[in-house]
Amino acid sequence: MEDRSEKEPFDIECEFIIGAEGRSSVTRDYMGIEVSEKKYNHHFLTVTFPRPLDMTKGRIVSTYQSFLGLFPLPNEEVRSVYLIPAGEYKSLRKKPISEFHKLYIDLCPDLKGYVDQITEWKLIQLMVPMKYHADTYVKDHLALIGDAAHTVHPMAGEGMNMAIQDGSVLGELLCDMYASGRLDPANLEWYPKVRKRRVSHQLHLSHLSALAYSYPYRPVGWLRNKSLQRMEKDRVSQFKQMLNISGLGMWRETVYDRMVQGGLLPLRKSFLSNEEKLGASFTEEQDYPWKEKEELI
């Protein structure tokens, strides 16, 4: 390695190397792991700016052609994502910044006087959504977490949730390995045993959501908006969606769920019991199974 302050190479010795460098992971490359990227026909503009004081809850504004997501932050700011067709970014940047303001204000007039405070295009980032899932998380003494192992369409924050949960499982595993003095790299295999199936489930759900924004046609937009509204009102669908997005549990949707969301069946008014909710949530034993089995080697 090279010390950037002294520009002198030096060696670091360690038992394990964790690749958490995101999409362009040098650790993944060193492990010889290739990923097959699925790209989408849309990109996102993303930027943070001051928000109205009464904008304290997340908001999604959607038409058949457009999508604007607003996510309130501390310090009276809001993080935003705005959908654009793939390849349109360069032509947009040639226009005055007022054209960017207009995109936001047309969809959400409340932002007038706030998004206008973005004065230069260079303050706005381009987010290129893609999806991939590495076949292998662990090789010898190396392991991948977060975007180095899997990337998800940025529809509802699943990528951040998955990275945190990767860190929780792998971090707890490493702590137990060091505490017990059992540093055989084979123990790292517990990490993909816990995480890989869960990640696959979240990637699948996110991909389905992404497809709903990939077709700019009025019937698709109408069905998408209707489904989102019904999912919010139907208590079972809402809980399942939030549970699956969070990664704190797994509750697969059924044909009945889809028919409720599409308006073919009436909304359910019954509440889920705590027992039903807990039954779909991951337990500590499921998150850290090696603790119960005491199978570290």
Side-chain angles (χ1 to χ4, degrees), residues 8-92:
E8 299 237 351
F10 63 94
D11 294 327
I12 294 178
E13 292 187 8
C14 58
E15 285 87 2
F16 303 101
I17 296 174
I18 311 302
E21 322 94 320
R23 294 181 181 181
S24 303
S25 171
V26 294
T27 305
R28 188 180 66 226
D29 292 342
Y30 180 80
M31 294 165 71
I33 297 171
E34 296 184 359
V35 292
S36 178
E37 296 178 349
K38 161 64 181 176
K39 295 185 178 180
Y40 296 92
N41 65 353
H42 54 270
H43 294 167
F44 291 99
L45 302 177
T46 177
V47 66
T48 297
F49 53 87
R51 60 172 169 83
L53 294 179
D54 59 355
M55 187 178 285
T56 56
K57 294 183 179 180
R59 187 184 302 180
I60 291 176
V61 185
S62 176
T63 70
Y64 76 97
Q65 287 182 315
S66 306
F67 170 90
L68 172 64
L70 299 167
F71 310 98
L73 299 174
N75 302 319
E76 299 175 8
E77 291 186 321
V78 61
R79 186 69 178 172
S80 67
V81 290
Y82 184 90
L83 184 146
I84 61 172
E88 193 175 283
Y89 181 61
K90 287 185 178 179
S91 61
L92 268 177

Coordinates of all heavy atoms in Angstrom, one line a residue, residues 8-92:
E8 N 5.1 6.8 0.6 CA 6.0 5.7 0.8 C 5.2 4.4 0.9 O 4.2 4.4 1.7 CB 6.9 5.9 2.0 CG 7.7 7.2 1.9 CD 9.2 6.9 2.0 OE1 9.5 5.8 2.4 OE2 9.9 7.8 1.7
P9 N 5.6 3.3 0.2 CA 4.8 2.1 0.4 C 5.1 1.5 1.8 O 6.1 1.6 2.3 CB 5.4 1.2 -0.7 CG 6.8 1.8 -1.0 CD 6.7 3.3 -0.7
F10 N 4.1 0.8 2.3 CA 4.2 0.0 3.5 C 3.3 -1.2 3.5 O 2.4 -1.2 2.7 CB 3.9 0.9 4.7 CG 2.5 1.4 4.8 CD1 1.5 0.8 5.5 CD2 2.1 2.6 4.1 CE1 0.2 1.2 5.6 CE2 0.8 3.1 4.1 CZ -0.1 2.4 4.9
D11 N 3.6 -2.1 4.3 CA 2.9 -3.4 4.4 C 1.9 -3.4 5.5 O 2.2 -2.9 6.6 CB 3.8 -4.6 4.4 CG 4.7 -4.7 3.2 OD1 4.2 -4.4 2.1 OD2 5.8 -5.2 3.3
I12 N 0.8 -4.0 5.3 CA -0.2 -4.3 6.4 C -0.5 -5.7 6.4 O -0.8 -6.3 5.4 CB -1.5 -3.4 6.2 CG1 -1.2 -1.9 6.3 CG2 -2.6 -3.9 7.2 CD1 -2.4 -1.1 6.0
E13 N -0.5 -6.3 7.6 CA -0.8 -7.7 7.7 C -2.1 -7.9 8.4 O -2.4 -7.2 9.4 CB 0.3 -8.5 8.5 CG 1.6 -8.6 7.8 CD 2.6 -9.5 8.5 OE1 2.2 -10.1 9.5 OE2 3.8 -9.5 8.1
C14 N -3.0 -8.8 7.9 CA -4.3 -9.0 8.5 C -4.8 -10.4 8.2 O -4.3 -11.0 7.3 CB -5.3 -7.9 8.0 SG -5.5 -7.9 6.3
E15 N -5.7 -10.9 9.1 CA -6.2 -12.2 8.9 C -7.3 -12.2 7.8 O -7.4 -13.2 7.0 CB -6.8 -12.8 10.2 CG -5.8 -13.2 11.2 CD -5.4 -12.1 12.1 OE1 -5.9 -10.9 11.9 OE2 -4.5 -12.3 12.9
F16 N -8.1 -11.1 7.7 CA -9.2 -11.1 6.8 C -9.2 -9.7 6.1 O -8.8 -8.7 6.6 CB -10.5 -11.3 7.5 CG -10.5 -12.6 8.3 CD1 -10.3 -12.6 9.6 CD2 -10.7 -13.8 7.6 CE1 -10.3 -13.8 10.3 CE2 -10.8 -15.0 8.3 CZ -10.5 -15.0 9.6
I17 N -9.8 -9.7 4.8 CA -9.9 -8.5 4.1 C -11.4 -8.4 3.6 O -11.9 -9.4 3.1 CB -9.1 -8.5 2.8 CG1 -7.6 -8.5 3.2 CG2 -9.4 -7.3 1.9 CD1 -6.6 -8.6 2.0
I18 N -12.1 -7.3 4.0 CA -13.5 -7.2 3.6 C -13.6 -6.1 2.5 O -13.2 -4.9 2.7 CB -14.3 -6.7 4.9 CG1 -14.0 -7.6 6.1 CG2 -15.8 -6.7 4.5 CD1 -14.2 -9.1 5.8
G19 N -14.2 -6.5 1.4 CA -14.4 -5.5 0.3 C -15.7 -4.8 0.5 O -16.7 -5.4 0.3
A20 N -15.6 -3.5 0.7 CA -16.8 -2.7 0.9 C -16.6 -1.4 0.0 O -17.0 -0.4 0.4 CB -17.0 -2.3 2.3
E21 N -16.1 -1.6 -1.2 CA -15.7 -0.4 -2.0 C -16.8 -0.1 -3.0 O -16.6 0.7 -3.9 CB -14.4 -0.7 -2.8 CG -13.3 -1.4 -2.0 CD -13.3 -2.9 -2.3 OE1 -14.4 -3.5 -2.4 OE2 -12.2 -3.5 -2.5
G22 N -18.0 -0.7 -2.9 CA -19.0 -0.4 -3.8 C -18.9 -1.1 -5.2 O -18.3 -2.2 -5.3
R23 N -19.6 -0.5 -6.2 CA -19.7 -1.2 -7.5 C -18.3 -1.5 -8.1 O -18.1 -2.6 -8.7 CB -20.5 -0.3 -8.4 CG -22.0 -0.2 -8.1 CD -22.7 0.7 -9.1 NE -24.1 0.9 -8.8 CZ -24.9 1.6 -9.5 NH1 -24.5 2.1 -10.7 NH2 -26.2 1.7 -9.2
S24 N -17.4 -0.6 -8.0 CA -16.1 -0.8 -8.6 C -15.1 -1.4 -7.5 O -14.1 -0.8 -7.1 CB -15.5 0.5 -9.1 OG -16.4 1.1 -10.0
S25 N -15.4 -2.6 -7.1 CA -14.7 -3.3 -6.0 C -13.4 -3.9 -6.5 O -13.5 -4.9 -7.3 CB -15.6 -4.3 -5.4 OG -14.9 -5.1 -4.4
V26 N -12.3 -3.4 -6.0 CA -11.0 -4.0 -6.4 C -10.8 -5.4 -5.7 O -10.2 -6.3 -6.2 CB -9.8 -3.1 -6.0 CG1 -9.9 -1.8 -6.9 CG2 -9.8 -2.7 -4.6
T27 N -11.5 -5.5 -4.5 CA -11.4 -6.8 -3.8 C -12.2 -7.9 -4.6 O -11.7 -9.0 -4.8 CB -12.1 -6.7 -2.4 OG1 -11.5 -5.6 -1.7 CG2 -12.0 -8.0 -1.6
R28 N -13.3 -7.5 -5.2 CA -14.1 -8.5 -6.0 C -13.2 -8.8 -7.2 O -13.2 -10.0 -7.6 CB -15.4 -7.8 -6.4 CG -16.3 -8.8 -7.2 CD -17.6 -8.1 -7.6 NE -17.4 -7.1 -8.6 CZ -18.0 -5.9 -8.5 NH1 -18.8 -5.5 -7.5 NH2 -17.7 -5.0 -9.5
D29 N -12.6 -7.9 -7.8 CA -11.7 -8.2 -9.0 C -10.6 -9.1 -8.6 O -10.3 -10.0 -9.4 CB -11.2 -6.9 -9.6 CG -12.2 -6.0 -10.2 OD1 -13.3 -6.5 -10.5 OD2 -12.0 -4.8 -10.4
Y30 N -10.0 -8.8 -7.5 CA -8.9 -9.7 -7.0 C -9.3 -11.1 -6.7 O -8.6 -12.1 -7.0 CB -8.3 -9.1 -5.7 CG -7.1 -9.9 -5.2 CD1 -5.8 -9.8 -5.7 CD2 -7.3 -10.8 -4.1 CE1 -4.8 -10.5 -5.2 CE2 -6.3 -11.6 -3.6 CZ -5.0 -11.4 -4.1 OH -4.0 -12.2 -3.6
M31 N -10.6 -11.3 -6.3 CA -11.2 -12.6 -6.0 C -11.6 -13.3 -7.3 O -11.9 -14.5 -7.3 CB -12.4 -12.4 -5.1 CG -12.1 -12.0 -3.7 SD -13.5 -11.4 -2.8 CE -14.4 -12.9 -2.4
G32 N -11.5 -12.6 -8.4 CA -11.9 -13.2 -9.7 C -13.3 -13.4 -9.9 O -13.8 -14.3 -10.6
I33 N -14.2 -12.6 -9.2 CA -15.6 -12.7 -9.3 C -16.2 -11.8 -10.3 O -16.0 -10.5 -10.2 CB -16.2 -12.5 -7.9 CG1 -15.7 -13.6 -6.9 CG2 -17.7 -12.6 -8.0 CD1 -16.1 -13.3 -5.5
E34 N -16.9 -12.2 -11.3 CA -17.6 -11.4 -12.2 C -19.1 -11.3 -11.9 O -19.7 -12.2 -11.4 CB -17.4 -11.9 -13.7 CG -15.9 -12.0 -14.1 CD -15.7 -12.4 -15.5 OE1 -16.8 -12.8 -16.2 OE2 -14.6 -12.4 -16.0
V35 N -19.6 -10.1 -12.3 CA -21.1 -9.9 -12.0 C -21.7 -9.6 -13.4 O -21.1 -8.9 -14.2 CB -21.3 -8.8 -11.0 CG1 -20.9 -9.3 -9.6 CG2 -20.7 -7.5 -11.4
S36 N -22.9 -10.0 -13.6 CA -23.7 -9.7 -14.8 C -24.6 -8.6 -14.5 O -25.6 -8.7 -13.7 CB -24.5 -11.0 -15.2 OG -25.2 -10.7 -16.4
E37 N -24.4 -7.4 -15.1 CA -25.2 -6.2 -14.7 C -26.5 -6.1 -15.6 O -26.4 -6.4 -16.8 CB -24.3 -5.0 -15.0 CG -23.1 -4.8 -14.1 CD -22.3 -3.6 -14.4 OE1 -22.6 -3.0 -15.5 OE2 -21.4 -3.3 -13.7
K38 N -27.6 -5.9 -14.9 CA -28.8 -5.6 -15.6 C -29.1 -4.1 -15.5 O -29.2 -3.5 -14.4 CB -30.0 -6.3 -14.9 CG -31.4 -5.8 -15.1 CD -31.8 -5.9 -16.6 CE -33.2 -5.3 -16.8 NZ -33.6 -5.4 -18.2
K39 N -29.1 -3.4 -16.6 CA -29.3 -2.0 -16.6 C -30.7 -1.6 -17.0 O -31.4 -2.5 -17.6 CB -28.3 -1.3 -17.6 CG -26.9 -1.4 -17.1 CD -25.9 -0.7 -18.0 CE -24.5 -0.8 -17.5 NZ -23.5 -0.1 -18.4
Y40 N -31.2 -0.5 -16.7 CA -32.6 0.0 -16.9 C -32.6 1.1 -18.0 O -31.6 1.7 -18.2 CB -33.2 0.4 -15.6 CG -33.3 -0.8 -14.6 CD1 -32.3 -1.0 -13.7 CD2 -34.4 -1.6 -14.6 CE1 -32.4 -2.0 -12.8 CE2 -34.5 -2.7 -13.8 CZ -33.5 -2.9 -12.8 OH -33.6 -3.9 -12.0
N41 N -33.8 1.4 -18.4 CA -34.0 2.4 -19.5 C -34.2 3.8 -18.9 O -34.7 4.7 -19.6 CB -35.1 2.0 -20.4 CG -36.5 2.0 -19.7 OD1 -36.6 2.2 -18.5 ND2 -37.5 1.8 -20.5
H42 N -33.9 4.0 -17.6 CA -34.0 5.3 -17.0 C -32.9 5.5 -16.0 O -32.3 4.6 -15.5 CB -35.4 5.4 -16.3 CG -35.6 4.3 -15.3 ND1 -36.2 3.1 -15.7 CD2 -35.3 4.1 -14.0 CE1 -36.3 2.3 -14.6 NE2 -35.7 2.9 -13.6
H43 N -32.6 6.8 -15.8 CA -31.6 7.2 -14.8 C -32.3 8.1 -13.8 O -33.5 8.4 -14.0 CB -30.5 7.9 -15.5 CG -29.6 7.0 -16.4 ND1 -28.7 7.5 -17.3 CD2 -29.6 5.7 -16.5 CE1 -28.1 6.5 -17.9 NE2 -28.7 5.4 -17.5
F44 N -31.6 8.6 -12.8 CA -32.1 9.5 -11.8 C -31.2 10.7 -11.6 O -30.0 10.5 -11.6 CB -32.3 8.8 -10.5 CG -33.4 7.8 -10.4 CD1 -33.1 6.4 -10.6 CD2 -34.7 8.1 -10.3 CE1 -34.1 5.5 -10.5 CE2 -35.7 7.2 -10.3 CZ -35.4 5.8 -10.4
L45 N -31.8 11.9 -11.5 CA -31.1 13.0 -10.9 C -31.3 13.0 -9.4 O -32.4 12.8 -9.0 CB -31.6 14.3 -11.5 CG -31.6 14.4 -13.1 CD1 -32.2 15.8 -13.5 CD2 -30.2 14.3 -13.6
T46 N -30.2 13.2 -8.7 CA -30.4 13.2 -7.2 C -29.6 14.4 -6.6 O -28.4 14.7 -7.1 CB -29.9 11.9 -6.6 OG1 -30.0 11.9 -5.2 CG2 -28.4 11.6 -7.0
V47 N -30.2 15.1 -5.7 CA -29.6 16.3 -5.1 C -30.3 16.6 -3.8 O -31.5 16.2 -3.6 CB -29.7 17.5 -6.1 CG1 -31.2 17.9 -6.3 CG2 -28.9 18.7 -5.6
T48 N -29.6 17.2 -2.9 CA -30.1 17.6 -1.6 C -30.2 19.2 -1.6 O -29.3 19.9 -2.0 CB -29.2 17.2 -0.4 OG1 -29.1 15.8 -0.4 CG2 -29.7 17.7 0.9
F49 N -31.3 19.7 -1.0 CA -31.6 21.1 -1.0 C -32.5 21.4 0.2 O -33.1 20.5 0.8 CB -32.1 21.7 -2.3 CG -33.4 21.0 -2.8 CD1 -34.6 21.4 -2.3 CD2 -33.3 19.9 -3.7 CE1 -35.8 20.7 -2.8 CE2 -34.4 19.3 -4.1 CZ -35.7 19.7 -3.7
P50 N -32.6 22.7 0.6 CA -33.5 23.1 1.7 C -34.9 22.7 1.4 O -35.4 22.7 0.2 CB -33.4 24.6 1.8 CG -32.0 24.9 1.2 CD -31.8 23.9 0.1
R51 N -35.7 22.3 2.5 CA -37.1 21.9 2.3 C -38.0 22.8 3.1 O -37.6 23.5 4.0 CB -37.3 20.5 2.8 CG -36.9 20.3 4.3 CD -37.3 18.9 4.7 NE -36.7 18.6 6.0 CZ -37.3 18.9 7.2 NH1 -38.4 19.6 7.2 NH2 -36.7 18.6 8.4
P52 N -39.3 22.8 2.7 CA -40.3 23.5 3.5 C -40.4 22.9 4.9 O -40.2 21.7 5.0 CB -41.6 23.3 2.7 CG -41.2 23.0 1.3 CD -39.9 22.3 1.4
L53 N -40.6 23.7 5.9 CA -40.7 23.2 7.2 C -41.7 22.2 7.5 O -41.6 21.3 8.3 CB -40.9 24.4 8.2 CG -39.7 25.4 8.3 CD1 -40.1 26.5 9.3 CD2 -38.4 24.8 8.7
D54 N -42.8 22.2 6.7 CA -43.9 21.3 6.9 C -43.7 20.0 6.1 O -44.5 19.1 6.2 CB -45.3 21.9 6.6 CG -45.3 22.4 5.2 OD1 -44.3 22.3 4.4 OD2 -46.4 22.8 4.7
M55 N -42.6 19.9 5.4 CA -42.3 18.7 4.6 C -41.5 17.7 5.5 O -40.3 17.6 5.5 CB -41.6 19.0 3.4 CG -41.4 17.7 2.4 SD -40.5 18.1 0.9 CE -41.8 19.0 0.0
T56 N -42.2 17.0 6.4 CA -41.6 16.2 7.4 C -41.7 14.7 7.1 O -41.2 13.9 7.8 CB -42.1 16.5 8.8 OG1 -43.6 16.3 8.8 CG2 -41.8 17.9 9.2
K57 N -42.5 14.4 6.1 CA -42.7 13.0 5.7 C -42.3 12.8 4.3 O -42.3 13.7 3.4 CB -44.2 12.6 5.9 CG -44.7 12.6 7.3 CD -46.1 12.1 7.4 CE -46.6 12.1 8.8 NZ -48.0 11.6 8.9
G58 N -41.9 11.6 3.9 CA -41.5 11.3 2.6 C -42.6 11.4 1.6 O -43.8 11.3 2.0
R59 N -42.3 11.8 0.4 CA -43.4 12.0 -0.6 C -42.9 11.5 -1.9 O -41.8 11.6 -2.3 CB -43.7 13.5 -0.7 CG -44.9 13.8 -1.6 CD -45.1 15.3 -1.7 NE -45.3 16.0 -0.4 CZ -45.4 17.3 -0.3 NH1 -45.4 18.1 -1.4 NH2 -45.6 17.9 0.9
I60 N -43.9 10.8 -2.6 CA -43.6 10.3 -4.0 C -44.7 11.0 -4.9 O -45.9 10.9 -4.6 CB -43.7 8.8 -4.1 CG1 -42.5 8.2 -3.4 CG2 -43.7 8.4 -5.5 CD1 -42.6 6.7 -3.3
V61 N -44.2 11.6 -6.0 CA -45.1 12.3 -6.9 C -44.8 11.5 -8.3 O -43.7 11.5 -8.8 CB -44.8 13.8 -7.1 CG1 -45.8 14.4 -8.0 CG2 -44.8 14.5 -5.8
S62 N -45.9 10.9 -8.8 CA -45.7 10.1 -10.0 C -46.7 10.4 -11.0 O -47.9 10.5 -10.7 CB -45.7 8.6 -9.5 OG -45.7 7.7 -10.7
T63 N -46.3 10.5 -12.3 CA -47.2 10.5 -13.4 C -46.8 9.3 -14.3 O -45.8 8.6 -14.0 CB -47.0 11.8 -14.2 OG1 -45.7 11.9 -14.9 CG2 -47.1 13.0 -13.3
Y64 N -47.4 9.2 -15.5 CA -47.1 8.1 -16.3 C -45.7 8.2 -16.9 O -45.1 7.3 -17.4 CB -48.2 7.8 -17.4 CG -48.1 8.8 -18.5 CD1 -47.5 8.5 -19.7 CD2 -48.8 10.1 -18.4 CE1 -47.5 9.4 -20.8 CE2 -48.8 11.0 -19.5 CZ -48.1 10.6 -20.6 OH -48.1 11.5 -21.7
Q65 N -45.2 9.5 -16.9 CA -43.9 9.7 -17.5 C -42.8 10.1 -16.5 O -41.6 10.0 -16.8 CB -44.0 10.9 -18.6 CG -44.7 10.5 -19.8 CD -44.7 11.7 -20.8 OE1 -45.0 12.8 -20.4 NE2 -44.4 11.4 -22.1
S66 N -43.2 10.6 -15.3 CA -42.2 11.1 -14.4 C -42.4 10.5 -13.0 O -43.4 9.9 -12.7 CB -42.5 12.6 -14.3 OG -42.4 13.3 -15.5
F67 N -41.3 10.7 -12.3 CA -41.3 10.2 -10.9 C -40.4 11.1 -10.1 O -39.2 11.4 -10.5 CB -40.7 8.7 -10.8 CG -40.5 8.3 -9.4 CD1 -41.4 7.6 -8.7 CD2 -39.2 8.4 -8.9 CE1 -41.2 7.2 -7.4 CE2 -38.9 8.0 -7.6 CZ -39.9 7.3 -6.8
L68 N -40.9 11.6 -9.0 CA -40.1 12.4 -8.1 C -40.2 11.9 -6.7 O -41.3 11.8 -6.1 CB -40.6 13.9 -8.1 CG -39.9 14.9 -7.1 CD1 -38.4 15.0 -7.3 CD2 -40.6 16.2 -7.1
G69 N -39.1 11.5 -6.1 CA -39.1 11.0 -4.7 C -38.5 12.1 -3.8 O -37.4 12.6 -4.1
L70 N -39.1 12.4 -2.7 CA -38.6 13.4 -1.7 C -38.5 12.8 -0.3 O -39.5 12.2 0.2 CB -39.6 14.6 -1.7 CG -39.8 15.3 -3.0 CD1 -40.9 16.3 -2.9 CD2 -38.5 16.1 -3.4
F71 N -37.3 12.8 0.2 CA -37.0 12.2 1.5 C -36.4 13.2 2.5 O -35.2 13.5 2.4 CB -36.1 11.0 1.3 CG -36.5 10.1 0.1 CD1 -36.0 10.2 -1.1 CD2 -37.5 9.2 0.3 CE1 -36.4 9.4 -2.2 CE2 -37.9 8.3 -0.7 CZ -37.4 8.5 -2.0
P72 N -37.2 13.6 3.5 CA -36.8 14.7 4.4 C -35.5 14.2 5.2 O -35.4 13.0 5.6 CB -38.0 14.8 5.3 CG -39.1 14.4 4.6 CD -38.6 13.2 3.7
L73 N -34.6 15.2 5.4 CA -33.4 14.9 6.1 C -33.4 15.9 7.3 O -34.2 16.8 7.4 CB -32.2 15.2 5.3 CG -32.0 14.3 4.0 CD1 -30.8 14.9 3.2 CD2 -31.8 12.9 4.4
P74 N -32.5 15.7 8.3 CA -32.3 16.7 9.4 C -31.8 18.0 8.8 O -31.5 18.1 7.6 CB -31.2 16.0 10.3 CG -31.2 14.6 9.9 CD -31.6 14.5 8.5
N75 N -31.8 19.0 9.7 CA -31.3 20.3 9.3 C -32.1 21.0 8.2 O -31.6 21.7 7.3 CB -29.8 20.3 8.9 CG -28.9 19.7 10.0 OD1 -29.1 20.1 11.1 ND2 -28.0 18.9 9.6
E76 N -33.4 20.6 8.2 CA -34.4 21.2 7.2 C -33.9 21.1 5.8 O -34.0 22.0 5.0 CB -34.6 22.7 7.6 CG -35.1 22.9 9.0 CD -35.2 24.4 9.4 OE1 -34.9 25.3 8.5 OE2 -35.5 24.6 10.6
E77 N -33.5 19.9 5.4 CA -33.1 19.6 4.1 C -33.9 18.4 3.6 O -34.6 17.7 4.3 CB -31.6 19.2 4.0 CG -30.7 20.4 4.2 CD -29.2 20.1 4.0 OE1 -28.8 19.0 4.4 OE2 -28.5 20.9 3.4
V78 N -33.9 18.2 2.2 CA -34.6 17.1 1.6 C -33.7 16.5 0.6 O -33.0 17.2 -0.2 CB -36.0 17.5 1.0 CG1 -35.8 18.5 -0.1 CG2 -36.7 16.3 0.5
R79 N -33.6 15.1 0.5 CA -32.9 14.4 -0.5 C -33.9 14.0 -1.6 O -35.1 13.6 -1.3 CB -32.3 13.2 0.0 CG -31.4 12.4 -1.0 CD -30.1 13.2 -1.3 NE -29.2 12.5 -2.2 CZ -28.2 13.1 -2.7 NH1 -27.9 14.4 -2.5 NH2 -27.4 12.4 -3.5
S80 N -33.6 14.2 -2.8 CA -34.5 14.0 -3.9 C -34.0 13.1 -5.0 O -32.8 13.1 -5.2 CB -34.9 15.4 -4.5 OG -33.8 15.9 -5.2
V81 N -34.9 12.4 -5.7 CA -34.5 11.7 -6.9 C -35.6 12.0 -7.9 O -36.8 12.0 -7.7 CB -34.4 10.1 -6.6 CG1 -33.2 9.8 -5.8 CG2 -35.7 9.6 -6.0
Y82 N -35.1 12.2 -9.1 CA -36.0 12.6 -10.2 C -35.7 11.7 -11.4 O -34.5 11.6 -11.9 CB -35.9 14.0 -10.6 CG -36.8 14.5 -11.7 CD1 -38.1 15.0 -11.4 CD2 -36.5 14.3 -13.1 CE1 -39.0 15.4 -12.4 CE2 -37.4 14.7 -14.1 CZ -38.6 15.2 -13.7 OH -39.5 15.6 -14.7
L83 N -36.7 11.0 -12.0 CA -36.4 10.0 -13.0 C -36.3 10.7 -14.4 O -37.2 11.6 -14.7 CB -37.6 9.0 -13.1 CG -37.5 7.9 -14.1 CD1 -38.1 6.6 -13.5 CD2 -38.3 8.2 -15.4
I84 N -35.3 10.3 -15.2 CA -35.2 10.8 -16.5 C -34.9 9.6 -17.4 O -34.4 8.6 -17.0 CB -34.0 11.9 -16.7 CG1 -32.7 11.2 -16.3 CG2 -34.3 13.1 -15.8 CD1 -31.5 12.1 -16.6
P85 N -35.2 9.7 -18.7 CA -34.8 8.7 -19.7 C -33.3 8.5 -19.7 O -32.6 9.5 -19.6 CB -35.4 9.2 -21.0 CG -36.5 10.1 -20.6 CD -36.0 10.8 -19.4
A86 N -32.9 7.3 -19.9 CA -31.4 7.0 -20.0 C -30.9 7.8 -21.2 O -31.5 7.8 -22.2 CB -31.2 5.5 -20.2
G87 N -29.7 8.4 -21.0 CA -29.1 9.2 -22.0 C -29.5 10.6 -22.2 O -28.9 11.4 -23.0
E88 N -30.5 11.1 -21.3 CA -30.9 12.5 -21.4 C -30.1 13.5 -20.6 O -30.3 14.7 -20.8 CB -32.4 12.5 -21.0 CG -33.1 13.8 -21.3 CD -34.6 13.8 -21.0 OE1 -35.4 13.1 -21.7 OE2 -35.0 14.4 -19.9
Y89 N -29.3 13.0 -19.8 CA -28.5 13.8 -18.8 C -27.7 14.9 -19.6 O -27.7 16.1 -19.2 CB -27.7 13.0 -17.9 CG -26.9 13.8 -16.9 CD1 -27.5 14.5 -15.9 CD2 -25.5 13.7 -16.9 CE1 -26.8 15.2 -14.9 CE2 -24.8 14.4 -15.9 CZ -25.4 15.2 -15.0 OH -24.7 15.8 -14.0
K90 N -27.0 14.5 -20.6 CA -26.1 15.4 -21.3 C -26.8 16.5 -21.9 O -26.4 17.7 -21.9 CB -25.3 14.7 -22.4 CG -24.2 13.8 -21.8 CD -23.3 13.2 -22.9 CE -22.2 12.3 -22.3 NZ -21.4 11.7 -23.4
S91 N -28.0 16.2 -22.5 CA -28.7 17.3 -23.2 C -29.4 18.2 -22.1 O -29.5 19.4 -22.3 CB -29.8 16.7 -24.1 OG -30.7 15.9 -23.3
L92 N -29.8 17.7 -21.0 CA -30.3 18.5 -19.9 C -29.3 19.5 -19.4 O -29.6 20.6 -19.1 CB -30.8 17.6 -18.8 CG -32.2 17.1 -18.7 CD1 -32.5 16.2 -17.6 CD2 -33.2 18.3 -18.7

